[in-house]
Amino acid sequence: MRLRRNLHRSDLSASITVFLIAVPLSLGLALATGAPLQSGLVAAAVGGIVAGLLGGAPLQVSGAATSLVVITADLVQRYGWRATCAVTVLAGLLQLLLGVLRVARAALAVSPAIVHGMLAGIGTVIAVGQLHVVLGGSPQNSTVDNIAALPGQLIDSHPATPVIGAITVIVVLGWPRLRGRAGGALRKIPAPLAAVALSTLAAASLTVPRVELPAWQTPALPSLPEGPVLGVATVVLTVTLVASMESLLSAVAVDALQARRQAGAQVAPAKLDRELLGQGAANVLSGMLGGMPIAGGAMRGSANVEAGARSRRATVLHGVWVLLCAGLAGRALEAIPLASLAALVMLVGVRMVSFAHIRHVQRHREFPVYAATLGTVVVFGVLQGVLAGGAMAVVLALRRLTRTRVTVTEEPRGHRVRVSGQLTFLAVPRLTRAFAQVPDGADVVVELDGSFMDHAAYEALRGWGARHRSRGGQAVFGDGVGRAVSEPLSAQACRPWTPWRNHHCTRSEVVPATSGGQLLGGVSAFQRNTAPLVREELARLAREGQRPGQLFITCADSRLVTSMITSSGPGDLFTVRNVGNLMPPPGSDASCDSVAAAVEYAVDVLEVSSITVCGHSGCGAMQALLGSDHEPGAQTPLARWLRHGRPSLARLSRTGPLGRGEVALAERPVADDQERLSLVNVVQQLDHLMAHPCVARRVAEGALQLHGMYFHVGEAQAYILDGSTGVFAAVAPEAGAPAVPVAGRGPEPEAYGLATKV
């Protein structure tokens, strides 16, 4: 019963938090589209109640969609409001059909570069249009016209509305940075609500445009748009695709966020087909009641999860509160200045242009897709932008498919033919010309570095190999990592990321099998097999500089291969390794500034988004801490360094079976005191991290997350920390699927967890 009461209490508080965010946002989105302001509240209420009850993502919060602002504004201007409502109903019916056909997963196959480019383009359109409202004017018919009219609008701006907009922006940006006990209490109030409330108070004595809510009446029935059937079908399809895509991607993002927040708990995955059915039903009802088109939003959904929601009750209750507010608080809403709502929506639009997404797509060499989508959305529209991005993605895929590089090199023991890229019929002439450079009777190794080979290329390779052998030569065909299949075992060239035992994969015949020979043999194997494969990527990193996303602090133990454990490559991790994965707190010892300097560089210069502290089993530093006192007068460098682990040792002595700060493994008992100390040490070093001002500041801003991890060497098993319970849960193999990026806050000082993929 106590658990049920706690669930009800957390759902209730989360519903109020999301309600306070949804009301000003819904009014602002309605203002941005030119729709009746009450239509935004209708969409929020219907989205919360209907989609909340019927949808497959219980913690997703639906309402007036940011991604549909541009489309809805065009519909209102072109067809009128009643016809826009009809389009919403038709789009909902089409969503119901798609849900019945169970095609929801297909929407996730769209390139992330297209999705991010579409959202960035929509955000640009929203921001530029709402800037005119902040300045006291009205947005133009297109983004190009808005940009052209901006200088004149700046000259003729309203004297008071820019000030109100500036107050809104300052409060939204500064609210999460409030400090002190009073600041902590104020931060519980959502920043959008605080911004609108303060700007309303500031504008109380000013004559500025304000919200005008018409008297609630029975909504007029939607009427079909007048115009060519093909045009109407296009807009219905556009609304359906954009609303469905945003809802499904947001559902996956909220699902991943919920799994991270409740690490170790059994969290059922979102049912995407059911979510599509719920969104369709909500859009049908919203259109019938005169509401805006509805979609699930990652911003409201993530706020719901962060506020502690545990079930769909929070989502439904939020819709109920919106409904009550619309009926009982109309007078209060009419005091809100339009400039405040416009500034709020303008900020939402600016945040949709994410530089993290730009770096992500650039790293995967899909920036042309992103740029084509963004530019076309801004100039022509959303559907045209998605089509342009898809066309660019196809062009890039074809270019990669047809881009094949064939090189022939002469080596002491024969010739080597390297084929980089996909082998299709288009590459056969190039392949034939390369084979013509190989003398008859020569020994040849052919390295095939590609994941695809069509029948024409296969026949060309097989035919040439047969002819070469018939003329007295030898031809050995290798695999995609550059190692010939029949290469003598004595060479022992190690394939990248393949199993090895006792270092045999890095020993070479030409180098003695000593410790130094082993190292040089590994370098030689790298130069022969791996360097040709990574040279282009490393050259790019050399030109562009390092831009890692994570700082990884772990032990110097030779058994921990960080890149292997995290499946990361060059440029992904900024790594700090020391004895015992210790993070000395500020001011503890001037001789330990190297670790703090690395953290400061990673946080302030590289602007990493997460820091992971990783302990491990069998740690010699933990064993030494348990067996020695390490008094302040210790003279050896190792003894002086291990003094920074004494807080962990003291924390261990304070923990009992039920004591505060107890740590545990979810799947099995903790083996011994050494393993328990390793787990406690991870938590203690996270506390030390939060003592560093640069880390605390970025965490408070929501730009940095701290994670805890424990790696058991003998099990080859990683465990992640749930800071609310102190339990380390094993990472399941299927948990490594990449998650859709979602904006979120950093952890509180006492609550640390680890994203599924470090």
Side-chain angles (χ1 to χ4, degrees):
M1 287 298 294
R2 179 177 296 178
L3 178 60
R4 289 181 64 87
R5 285 199 301 270
N6 289 340
L7 287 176
H8 292 165
R9 189 179 300 115
S10 61
D11 286 336
L12 178 62
S13 61
S15 70
I16 294 174
T17 300
V18 179
F19 154 71
L20 295 176
I21 295 174
V23 169
L25 182 62
S26 300
L27 291 173
L29 294 178
L31 172 69
T33 62
L37 294 184
Q38 68 185 26
S39 65
L41 299 177
V42 171
V46 173
I49 297 173
V50 177
L53 286 172
L54 303 180
L59 301 189
Q60 166 137 281
V61 181
S62 302
T66 309
S67 61
L68 290 170
V69 165
V70 178
I71 302 170
T72 306
D74 183 63
L75 287 173
V76 172
Q77 184 179 8
R78 187 185 304 180
Y79 297 113
W81 178 241
R82 290 180 61 191
T84 301
C85 292
V87 170
T88 303
V89 173
L90 294 174
L93 293 173
L94 188 52
Q95 283 181 310
L96 289 172
L97 176 61
L98 294 176
V100 171
L101 295 176
R102 306 178 68 85
V103 298
R105 287 282 174 186
L108 303 182
V110 178
S111 169
I114 296 177
V115 175
H116 297 324
M118 179 191 73
L119 294 177
I122 291 171
T124 303
V125 174
I126 292 173
V128 175
Q130 292 311 293
L131 181 58
H132 283 271
V133 181
V134 171
L135 295 175
S138 300
Q140 305 298 314
N141 295 332
S142 68
T143 307
V144 176
D145 293 339
N146 278 326
I147 296 174
L150 198 55
Q153 186 66 66
L154 287 170
I155 296 173
D156 299 330
S157 65
H158 191 284
T161 55
V163 177
I164 296 170
I167 292 174
T168 304
V169 172
I170 291 171
V171 173
V172 170
L173 297 179
W175 200 256
R177 306 184 184 185
L178 294 176
R179 297 290 184 270
R181 183 174 300 177
L186 289 174
R187 284 202 305 270
K188 296 181 180 179
I189 303 174
L193 178 67
V196 171
L198 291 176
S199 61
T200 301
L201 289 175
S205 60
L206 301 176
T207 303
V208 293
R210 300 181 187 273
V211 170
E212 294 182 5
L213 291 177
W216 287 97
Q217 300 175 352
T218 303
L221 291 176
S223 61
L224 290 174
E226 296 181 359
V229 175
L230 182 60
V232 174
T234 300
V235 295
V236 171
L237 181 62
T238 303
V239 172
T240 303
L241 292 179
V242 175
S244 301
M245 191 180 303
E246 182 179 12
S247 299
L248 295 175
L249 293 174
S250 299
V252 174
V254 172
D255 200 27
L257 180 61
Q258 181 189 8
R260 291 199 296 269
R261 293 285 293 184
Q262 302 178 28
Q266 295 294 326
V267 179
K271 300 176 181 177
L272 298 184
D273 291 307
R274 178 178 171 180
E275 180 64 21
L276 203 53
L277 290 171
Q279 296 293 332
N283 270 311
V284 170
L285 186 59
S286 179
M288 296 295 292
L289 296 178
M292 294 177 64
I294 288 174
M299 182 177 70
R300 285 168 295 202
S302 60
N304 194 32
V305 174
E306 296 285 358
R310 290 294 183 270
S311 70
R312 64 177 73 244
R313 293 188 190 93
T315 304
V316 176
L317 281 174
H318 130 271
V320 174
W321 306 144
V322 173
L323 188 61
L324 293 176
C325 173
L328 302 178
R331 293 285 184 182
L333 296 178
E334 289 180 345
I336 300 175
L338 293 182
S340 177
L341 296 179
L344 183 64
V345 177
M346 182 181 70
L347 271 181
V348 173
V350 170
R351 286 172 172 172
M352 291 171 72
V353 185
S354 170
F355 288 101
H357 291 161
I358 294 176
R359 288 194 296 268
H360 178 74
V361 298
Q362 189 172 15
R363 179 177 298 177
H364 290 82
R365 302 184 182 182
E366 291 189 326
F367 184 76
V369 178
Y370 179 93
T373 307
L374 188 155
T376 309
V377 167
V378 170
V379 177
F380 297 104
V382 175
L383 182 61
Q384 293 89 336
V386 172
L387 293 176
M392 180 60 71
V394 171
V395 170
L396 287 182
L398 290 175
R399 181 174 179 271
R400 290 166 184 163
L401 189 63
T402 58
R403 187 180 181 183
T404 307
R405 183 184 179 188
V406 184
T407 60
V408 180
T409 57
E410 186 174 356
E411 298 181 351
R413 290 188 289 180
H415 286 69
R416 187 176 296 269
V417 179
R418 289 188 176 92
V419 183
S420 303
Q422 315 310 317
L423 273 176
T424 66
F425 67 95
L426 296 173
V428 171
R430 199 173 309 159
L431 197 62
T432 304
R433 287 195 298 270
F435 286 150
Q437 301 176 34
V438 178
D440 292 341
D443 293 342
V444 185
V445 174
V446 181
E447 294 182 357
L448 305 177
D449 176 21
S451 58
F452 176 78
M453 181 191 304
D454 68 6
H455 186 69
Y458 170 75
E459 289 293 341
L461 285 172
R462 191 182 68 166
W464 175 83
R467 289 192 301 272
H468 189 71
R469 293 187 189 99
S470 68
R471 296 168 184 170
Q474 290 187 0
V476 177
F477 293 92
D479 56 19
V481 293
R483 179 174 183 253
V485 173
S486 61
E487 185 175 348
L489 294 177
S490 58
Q492 298 187 30
C494 181
R495 305 184 190 183
W497 307 122
T498 56
W500 63 91
R501 287 187 180 89
N502 298 328
H503 314 286
H504 286 309
C505 64
T506 60
R507 288 178 181 162
S508 173
E509 284 184 325
V510 297
V511 183
T514 62
S515 59
Q518 175 188 315
L519 180 63
L520 293 177
V523 174
S524 176
F526 166 80
Q527 294 298 151
R528 183 176 65 254
N529 300 295
T530 308
L533 306 179
V534 300
R535 186 170 287 116
E536 184 178 355
E537 176 66 11
L538 291 177
R540 183 185 67 81
L541 290 172
R543 292 192 305 270
E544 300 176 1
Q546 63 167 332
R547 289 180 292 184
Q550 296 87 22
L551 167 61
F552 199 81
I553 302 175
T554 191
C555 186
D557 194 294
S558 62
R559 296 166 295 181
L560 263 70
V561 184
T562 57
S563 56
M564 180 181 68
I565 296 172
T566 61
S567 297
S568 55
D572 289 339
L573 292 184
F574 190 76
T575 306
V576 173
R577 304 189 66 157
N578 60 55
V579 176
N581 47 274
L582 301 179
M583 179 65 244
S588 57
D589 189 345
S591 66
C592 298
D593 279 347
S594 65
V595 181
V599 171
E600 180 181 347
Y601 185 79
V603 172
D604 286 341
V605 180
L606 299 178
E607 297 183 341
V608 297
S609 60
S610 72
I611 302 178
T612 299
V613 176
C614 178
H616 70 98
S617 64
C619 181
M622 300 301 105
Q623 183 178 0
L625 283 170
L626 288 170
S628 179
D629 292 334
H630 305 291
E631 296 297 336
Q635 297 301 314
T636 69
L638 179 60
R640 286 195 299 270
W641 172 254
L642 287 178
R643 284 180 298 156
H644 298 299
R646 291 188 59 78
S648 301
L649 196 61
R651 188 171 191 151
L652 176 67
S653 66
R654 296 194 302 268
T655 63
L658 298 175
R660 183 180 184 275
E662 173 72 4
V663 295
L665 295 171
E667 286 73 16
R668 60 172 175 82
V670 177
D672 50 31
D673 283 344
Q674 184 175 341
E675 183 171 60
R676 189 179 302 279
L677 180 57
S678 295
L679 299 173
V680 169
N681 184 57
V682 169
V683 180
Q684 184 65 38
Q685 302 315 313
L686 289 170
D687 286 348
H688 288 174
L689 268 172
M690 281 299 298
H692 287 264
C694 62
V695 175
R697 173 177 51 80
R698 289 283 306 282
V699 168
E701 294 172 356
L704 180 66
Q705 293 184 342
L706 306 186
H707 306 313
M709 179 177 175
Y710 173 72
F711 185 77
H712 193 285
V713 177
E715 298 173 354
Q717 176 65 59
Y719 295 82
I720 59 174
L721 170 64
D722 180 359
S724 61
T725 63
V727 174
F728 286 78
V731 179
E734 62 272 13
V740 178
V742 56
R745 303 180 311 195
E748 298 298 327
E750 293 295 325
Y752 306 108
L754 179 66
T756 301
K757 180 173 170 55
V758 179

